[in-house]
Amino acid sequence: MWRAIRFFFKDPFVRYAGILCAVFIVGQILILAFGIKPKAEPIFLHYTTYLGVDFVGAWYLVYGIPLGSLMLSILNFGVAFALVRIDKVLSYLLPAWTLFLLLLLTIESFLLIRLNA
C-alpha cells in the first residue's frame, strides 16, 4: 500500500496540488491567528448580502474553516487515490477542485477578518 501511495504522489500534478493544499491550510491558520484575537464577546462568523450578519459565535469557531479544509483535502485526495486505477482524469480533477475550494476558503478567511475589524 505504501508503494501505491508513493507512486500516486510521484505524479507532479498531484504532488504540487498536495503541497499547495497544505500551504492554503497553513495560510488560513496564520491569517486567522493574526487577525482574530481571543475575546470574551462574540464575533461575526457569517455575512450575507440579503440578511447581513446571520451567524455570531465565539472567536475559536473561526478555526472550523482550516479544519474543514483539512478534512476536505484528506477526503478528496483519498478518493482520488482510490480512483487512480479506474479513471485517471477524475483522479486529476479531484485535487484541482480541492485547490479551487481551498482558495475560496482562504478568501473567506480574509473576508472574515475584514468583517470583524
Side-chain angles (χ1 to χ4, degrees):
M1 177 166 162
W2 291 110
R3 182 180 298 169
I5 292 174
R6 202 170 64 218
F7 177 73
F8 178 66
F9 280 101
K10 280 201 180 211
D11 188 307
F13 180 76
V14 175
R15 183 181 332 136
Y16 293 134
I19 291 170
L20 280 174
C21 284
V23 167
F24 277 136
I25 293 169
V26 170
Q28 290 170 6
I29 292 170
L30 291 176
I31 289 166
L32 294 171
F34 287 121
I36 302 289
K37 301 296 179 204
K39 50 186 167 182
E41 63 268 3
I43 62 170
F44 302 135
L45 295 173
H46 190 258
Y47 177 85
T48 62
T49 56
Y50 294 117
L51 301 173
V53 175
D54 60 352
F55 187 51
V56 179
W59 64 271
Y60 55 83
L61 292 176
V62 297
Y63 290 105
I65 296 170
L67 179 65
S69 298
L70 179 65
M71 292 187 328
L72 178 76
S73 297
I74 291 171
L75 176 73
N76 283 349
F77 275 92
V79 171
F81 173 70
L83 292 175
V84 73
R85 292 197 175 132
I86 299 169
D87 189 6
K88 189 84 165 171
V89 174
L90 189 58
S91 70
Y92 279 158
L93 284 177
L94 278 171
W97 277 106
T98 304
L99 277 175
F100 178 69
L101 291 174
L102 289 186
L103 174 67
L104 292 178
L105 288 170
T106 304
I107 292 170
E108 179 188 5
S109 298
F110 277 117
L111 293 175
L112 194 62
I113 299 297
R114 186 167 177 183
L115 176 64
N116 288 297

